[in-house]
Amino acid sequence: MHSASGPPSVPVAAVRIAGRDRQETDVGAHLRAQPLDPARPGPDALPSTPQRRRPWVKRWLRRLALGCAVLLAVVTTASFIYNACTAHRAAPPKGLRYVQAADIRTRYRTWGTSGSPVVLVHGAFEQVDTWSRLAPLLARDHRVYALDLTGDGYSQRRGPYTVGHFTQQLLGFLDAMHLGGPGARPLLVGHSSGAAVVAQAALRAPGRIGGVMLLDGDALDTGAGPPPALKYVLLDPYRTSLLRLALSGDRLIRSVYDTQCGPTCPPLDAAGVDQWRRPLQVPGAEAALWSMLGQGVPGLPAHEVARLAALHIPKSVVFGAQDDVFSSQTPQQTARRIGAPTPTLIPRARHLTMISNPRDVATAVEALATRTT
């Protein structure tokens, strides 16, 4: 029965169905409104390993970079301060003799007053005084001359520090000493890298040269010396600081001397250490040193050295039998290359034969001086 005045009657089942439909509609709308969470696995997703984050690695890298920057700043500042405190340069010894040789004010020494002339040409990082044990022996029968090549010793430092420039200085020195004319053609003795200088001098002016001796040197451009990258690694102010620190004591000088000279050499006293060290401490020495190190040990191409074989002048090759700067085959190869007789090997001697065995070297020089072509 329906009341005439009330609302029309609705079946209870219809009301329940309608309510369920509204609920499903509301839930679906709610789900569509929510953004999908890719990190929330679905019901069918497989379990996965969570991503591991390591923020501590980045923190430590930043700290390391900061520490390196601070250390570099401290070392750089200390290097500048040390260089400023050690900027005073040593003075050359008093009483040195100089002459103008080509474009270089050249320090030199002489021994003896009579006999045929002998000119001694040192190697890298050596100087006139390197010959102080040999020259007096030669001076008994010869007029002996020695010069400091530019870049070493106490001669004016003027680049380029090449074989060509050294040779120009040597020939200029012969002019200044009035050597090279008739009756005054000198015998040239070149030690180590100085062998290349006397070789090129003979090639440039064969008529002015009386003979050539390659002493502990093959005259070749072998690329020996420090790697070229060194000049990019050792930059200022660090390289200056390292050099001055190394030279502040005696250890470096004594170590190199003992290694190159061997057990038969006289030990270095304080004056001997100063003789090797002071030329590296005079004004201009550091800049010249870095320039020479960048170019490596000077030498000539093999084909140019071989041109000596065609020169009609006496030639000889002398090496220390235990010279570890070169291979054991180098003396024989060098003698064949320049057209010299069998090389002279000095027993037990290393690379500084004029210091370790001056009498043996003097005998070899005398033998060369008395030879005729």
Side-chain angles (χ1 to χ4, degrees):
M1 297 293 292
H2 296 284
S3 171
S5 59
S9 177
V10 180
V12 175
V15 172
R16 290 177 178 174
I17 292 173
R20 186 171 62 248
D21 291 343
R22 284 196 300 272
Q23 289 176 353
E24 292 175 353
T25 301
D26 292 340
V27 170
H30 175 72
L31 292 175
R32 287 193 299 272
Q34 294 296 323
L36 294 177
D37 185 0
R40 183 181 301 170
D44 298 328
L46 296 175
S48 61
T49 303
Q51 183 179 5
R52 299 178 64 186
R53 298 180 181 179
R54 296 182 179 179
W56 62 272
V57 174
K58 295 182 178 180
R59 288 199 302 269
W60 277 106
L61 289 176
R62 287 195 296 267
R63 291 175 184 176
L64 180 61
L66 178 61
C68 291
V70 172
L71 179 62
L72 179 62
V74 171
V75 171
T76 301
T77 302
S79 181
F80 275 116
I81 294 174
Y82 177 77
N83 292 350
C85 293
T86 57
H88 177 71
R89 301 287 79 204
K94 295 181 179 180
L96 301 184
R97 299 169 67 185
Y98 290 87
V99 70
Q100 190 70 23
D103 61 339
I104 298 165
R105 185 172 180 263
T106 300
R107 181 247 179 148
Y108 74 100
R109 285 186 66 182
T110 62
W111 298 261
T113 58
S114 62
S116 60
V118 176
V119 177
L120 307 174
V121 181
H122 64 76
F125 312 120
E126 300 170 4
Q127 38 128 350
V128 161
D129 297 315
T130 309
W131 304 103
S132 59
R133 301 195 74 204
L134 172 64
L137 300 178
L138 296 175
R140 297 170 182 174
D141 299 301
H142 302 276
R143 290 174 289 137
V144 184
Y145 304 80
L147 72 157
D148 283 347
L149 295 177
T150 182
D152 292 314
Y154 300 107
S155 287
Q156 178 185 11
R157 282 163 168 79
R158 172 174 291 179
Y161 303 105
T162 61
V163 174
H165 197 197
F166 296 148
T167 303
Q168 180 182 344
Q169 180 187 9
L170 174 57
L171 293 176
F173 179 73
L174 299 186
D175 291 337
M177 296 292 105
H178 307 290
L179 300 175
R185 295 194 305 162
L187 188 160
L188 304 182
V189 179
H191 179 255
S192 193
S193 62
V197 180
V198 301
Q200 190 170 82
L203 291 172
R204 285 191 185 183
R208 302 179 60 189
I209 308 302
V212 171
M213 174 182 286
L214 306 189
L215 177 62
D216 303 319
D218 60 2
L220 293 179
D221 180 10
T222 59
L230 184 67
K231 62 183 178 181
Y232 299 107
V233 176
L234 290 182
L235 302 175
D236 264 340
Y238 317 112
R239 66 184 184 185
T240 299
S241 299
L242 290 173
L243 175 62
R244 293 180 183 178
L245 282 170
L247 294 177
S248 63
D250 298 352
R251 184 175 181 179
L252 176 64
I253 299 296
R254 293 184 184 277
S255 175
V256 174
Y257 176 83
D258 291 342
T259 301
Q260 296 292 306
C261 210
T264 60
C265 283
L268 285 181
D269 56 13
V273 172
D274 184 70
Q275 175 183 304
W276 288 91
R277 176 170 54 198
R278 185 182 292 234
L280 297 172
Q281 297 177 318
V282 297
E286 291 172 345
L289 174 65
W290 301 125
S291 178
M292 290 188 291
L293 287 177
Q295 296 181 29
V297 177
L300 300 173
H303 69 272
E304 188 168 353
V305 177
R307 290 174 52 206
L308 284 173
L311 299 184
H312 297 292
I313 60 175
K315 291 158 282 193
S316 69
V317 173
V318 179
F319 271 80
Q322 297 180 3
D323 188 341
D324 58 3
V325 174
F326 298 92
S327 72
S328 59
Q329 291 79 33
T330 297
Q332 289 77 13
Q333 293 171 348
T334 303
R336 287 195 298 269
R337 183 177 293 114
I338 70 172
T342 301
T344 299
L345 299 180
I346 301 177
R348 298 188 302 150
R350 296 187 185 176
H351 191 60
L352 297 175
T353 52
M354 67 283 205
I355 300 176
S356 64
N357 299 74
R359 294 187 182 279
D360 293 320
V361 177
T363 299
V365 172
E366 186 61 37
L368 179 61
T370 57
R371 277 176 42 201
T372 58
T373 58

